[in-house]
């Protein structure tokens, strides 16, 4: 699809189509695909903002956009995939942005003309204008538009039907509605002040005091902020200087809910990823003796961030390996045991749909069994490396009882004498836009 998009180095709509094609066809990560097209020096800041909005907006609303588009195309299977995506993008722009509709239609039609000729341009023009004449049905579909209320809900929130049913069953219709609404919106930008730097409290207070009333800033205690609009210049300067770092505000709130200052040491972060939680611990003088992850690129990012933030507490050891394969290692003392093991487990990611919208297009119910099995293996491995009376901290970025509460219950049944100390789930009405689950488990003495 991306061949021939010669204007993508300066045209935000063409660039957005290229990024969307990489995500939808090549299974690229949305942020990586967007970064690739935004790298062009010819794209102005206002164009970068439009491109970013189109990429994330179309992905969040893709299931809704595609369903609506198909109602106005006689033989959609015979149309080029790029043309169908162009129509979805034009519909998104007309339905959700302030761009004049004539501009959205004109660009889409001319793009199809340049790529596929006059005939298909006529089809694009007629179908897109027909969609816009019926735009009320897009936002408020008639009662007979869908066979069931769940199907209507799935359409309105651009969610797969199985997810609507899962959340309705697990959390009830009202909480499910709140979760679906949040997942279809732009997540706020999270910022964590570096607590190892003097003056972080004053810097955080100043950011709160200077917030634009039109774009509220939510405080996440003790060192986090969530910006509903763009990051202010002051925040970007703090990031550049190593005095702050971007981190999901919901993830930070979850970590802090677990009272990490009380965790027995030494600590092993066995699914460290890019190190957000490890670094947050080090910044408040909580030592992390070992951090491990199977991906070299993620550990490299952790190392880079550590060097930039330079927390006072050193990181003792990094190991590239799945948690199940970290031991035995020649660089670790025989019989090493930890007071606390943090398991930020690989999961279905259903709590991060606002930030990673492609998950809603890729994840299926068949993925759950594989993920649950991996989570179980990591938990059981971690238990063998805890000191007596040690603490197991289990955390996911998903909303699925089978990966959360049920996983903890199953662990307790396999490890008699263990018990849950605390559980936390991001509230469905949280302004932070993402949703996490966490539990702390005490092993027997």
């Amino acid at each position: 699809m991306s061949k021939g998009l010669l204007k993508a180095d300066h045209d935000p709509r063409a660039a957005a189509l290229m990024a969307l094609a990489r995500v939808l066809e090549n299974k690229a990560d949305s942020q990586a695909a967007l970064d690739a097209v935004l790298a062009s020096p010819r794209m102005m800041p206002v164009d970068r903002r439009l491109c970013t909005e189109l990429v994330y907006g179309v992905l969040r609303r893709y299931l809704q956009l595609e369903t609506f588009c198909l109602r106005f195309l006689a033989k959609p299977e015979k149309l080029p995939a790029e043309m169908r995506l162009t129509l979805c993008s034009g519909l998104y722009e007309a339905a959700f942005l302030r761009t004049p509709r004539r501009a959205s239609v004109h660009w889409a039609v001319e793009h199809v003309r340049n790529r596929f000729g006059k005939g298909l341009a006529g089809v694009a023009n007629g179908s897109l204008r027909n969609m816009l004449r019926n735009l009320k049905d897009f936002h408020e579909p008639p009662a007979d538009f869908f066979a069931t209320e769940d199907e209507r809900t799935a359409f309105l929130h651009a969610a797969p039907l199985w997810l609507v049913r899962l959340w309705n069953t697990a959390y009830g219709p009202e909480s499910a509605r709140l979760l679906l609404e949040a997942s279809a919106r732009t997540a706020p930008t999270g910022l964590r002040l570096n607590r190892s730097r003097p003056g972080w409290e004053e810097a955080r207070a100043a950011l709160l005091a200077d917030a634009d009333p039109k774009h509220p800033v939510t405080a996440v205690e003790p060192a986090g902020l969530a910006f509903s609009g763009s990051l202010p210049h002051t925040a970007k300067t703090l990031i550049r200087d190593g005095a702050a770092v971007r981190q999901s505000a919901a993830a930070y709130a979850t970590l802090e809910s677990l009272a990490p200052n009380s965790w027995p040491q030494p600590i092993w972060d066995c699914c460290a990823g890019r190190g957000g939680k490890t670094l947050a611990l080090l910044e408040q003088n909580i030592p992390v003796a070992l951090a491990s992850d199977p991906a070299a690129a993620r550990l490299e990012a952790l190392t880079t961030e550590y060097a930039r933030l330079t927390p006072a507490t050193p990181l003792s050891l990094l190991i590239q390996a799945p948690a199940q394969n970290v031991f035995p290692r020649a660089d670790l003392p025989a019989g090493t045991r930890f007071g606390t093991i943090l398991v930020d487990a690989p999961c279905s990611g259903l709590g991060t749909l606002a930030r990673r919208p492609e998950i809603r297009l890729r994840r299926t119910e068949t993925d759950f069994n594989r993920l649950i099995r991996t989570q179980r293996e990591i938990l059981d491995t971690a238990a063998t490396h805890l000191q007596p009376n040690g603490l197991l901290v289990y955390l996911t970025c998903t909303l699925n009882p089978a990966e959360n509460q049920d996983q903890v219950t199953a662990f307790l049944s396999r490890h008699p004498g263990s018990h849950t100390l605390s559980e936390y789930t991001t509230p469905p009405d949280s302004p932070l836009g993402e949703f996490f689950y966490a539990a702390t488990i005490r092993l027997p003495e």
Side-chain angles (χ1 to χ4, degrees):
M1 180 186 295
S2 59
K3 293 180 179 179
L5 298 182
L6 300 180
K7 298 188 296 180
D9 64 341
H10 64 280
D11 183 332
R13 294 179 177 90
L17 285 180
M18 180 177 286
L20 286 166
R22 290 171 178 167
V23 174
L24 296 171
E25 294 185 355
N26 301 331
K27 307 301 182 185
D29 174 80
S30 57
Q31 187 61 60
L34 178 61
D35 288 345
V37 298
L38 292 182
S40 169
R42 298 181 62 191
M43 198 177 293
M44 302 297 291
V46 65
D47 295 327
R48 294 173 187 271
R49 289 193 291 271
L50 175 57
C51 181
T52 300
E53 174 60 37
L54 287 173
V55 170
Y56 279 111
V58 170
L59 288 174
R60 287 191 193 97
R61 291 286 177 178
Y62 186 75
L63 294 175
Q64 184 183 19
L65 296 166
E66 184 185 46
T67 299
F68 196 73
C69 282
L70 291 177
R71 295 179 67 88
F72 297 90
L73 297 171
K75 297 180 179 179
E77 70 282 355
K78 294 187 176 181
L79 299 177
E82 183 182 332
M83 177 178 167
R84 297 198 303 270
L85 184 54
T86 302
L87 294 177
C88 285
S89 184
L91 175 59
Y92 175 81
E93 193 171 342
F96 294 103
L97 304 186
R98 295 180 179 180
T99 309
R101 291 183 182 179
R102 62 181 181 276
S104 304
V105 173
H106 176 76
W107 190 92
V109 172
E110 288 305 304
H111 181 76
V112 173
R113 187 190 311 278
N114 292 334
R115 296 286 289 122
F116 305 110
K118 183 178 179 180
L120 287 183
V123 174
N125 183 59
S127 58
L128 192 51
R129 290 184 184 279
N130 198 11
M131 291 178 212
L132 299 188
R133 281 193 294 270
N134 291 275
L135 200 55
K136 183 179 179 181
D137 290 346
F138 180 82
H139 294 293
E140 300 176 15
D144 60 349
F145 207 78
F146 299 103
T148 68
E149 185 60 27
D150 281 351
E151 290 178 359
R152 185 176 187 274
T153 299
F155 172 80
L156 286 173
H157 298 293
L161 182 58
W162 64 262
L163 180 61
V164 172
R165 291 170 173 166
L166 171 66
W167 283 357
N168 274 336
T169 300
Y171 309 113
E174 179 58 21
S175 290
R177 180 186 63 80
L178 292 171
L179 295 171
L180 290 165
E181 288 177 353
S183 297
R185 292 193 297 261
T186 302
T189 301
L191 187 77
R192 185 185 78 239
L193 278 297
N194 185 347
R195 295 167 71 182
S196 66
R197 296 289 184 92
W200 70 267
E201 291 172 297
E202 292 81 1
R204 180 172 178 268
L207 287 169
L208 276 170
D210 295 341
D212 182 349
K214 295 181 180 179
H215 301 288
V217 178
T218 302
V220 182
E221 300 301 333
L225 296 170
F227 294 82
S228 60
S230 301
L231 281 180
H233 177 73
T234 304
K236 294 177 182 178
T237 300
L238 290 168
I239 292 172
R240 184 195 64 206
D241 295 342
V245 64
R246 290 174 184 259
Q247 183 183 25
S248 161
Y252 178 68
T254 302
L255 179 67
E256 288 300 319
S257 77
L258 302 172
N261 279 303
S262 68
W263 294 356
Q265 298 174 12
I267 296 171
W268 172 23
D269 183 355
C270 74
C271 303
R274 299 173 65 87
K277 296 174 183 63
T278 285
L279 293 170
L281 295 174
L282 296 177
E283 288 167 14
Q284 51 183 308
N285 294 317
I286 299 174
V288 178
L290 170 63
S292 61
D293 194 87
R298 291 197 288 262
L299 289 180
E300 183 178 351
L302 190 164
T303 302
T304 300
E305 281 294 87
Y306 178 83
R308 189 177 69 82
L309 298 168
T310 58
T313 305
L315 175 63
S316 298
L317 185 62
L318 289 177
I319 291 180
Q320 182 194 345
Q324 306 94 306
N325 299 331
V326 167
F327 294 90
R329 292 283 299 249
D331 46 2
L332 290 168
T336 299
R337 292 290 184 271
F338 297 90
T340 300
I341 299 179
L342 172 60
V343 181
D344 188 355
C347 66
S348 56
L350 301 180
T352 63
L353 298 181
R355 195 174 305 279
R356 300 174 60 200
E358 64 270 29
I359 289 177
R360 72 180 68 224
L361 307 176
R362 297 178 186 171
R363 189 68 71 199
T364 67
E365 292 175 284
T366 59
D367 296 328
F368 292 157
N369 289 338
R370 172 182 56 82
L371 289 165
I372 290 167
R373 183 168 58 253
T374 300
Q375 294 157 2
R376 182 175 64 242
E377 291 172 356
I378 294 173
L379 285 170
D380 287 344
T381 297
T384 66
H385 297 289
L386 275 171
Q387 300 168 357
N389 208 34
L391 191 66
L392 191 57
V393 180
Y394 181 65
L395 187 150
T396 74
C397 60
T398 197
L399 291 170
N400 176 18
E403 299 177 73
N404 295 341
Q405 295 89 343
D406 295 352
Q407 187 70 272
V408 170
T409 298
F411 176 86
L412 297 177
S413 69
R414 295 193 304 274
H415 297 269
S418 301
H419 61 280
T420 303
L421 293 179
S422 66
E423 281 189 290
Y424 172 88
T425 303
T426 308
D429 59 351
S430 167
L432 303 181
E434 295 178 287
F435 303 90
F436 289 73
Y437 169 84
T440 55
I441 303 169
R442 180 76 71 187
L443 266 66
E445 295 185 8

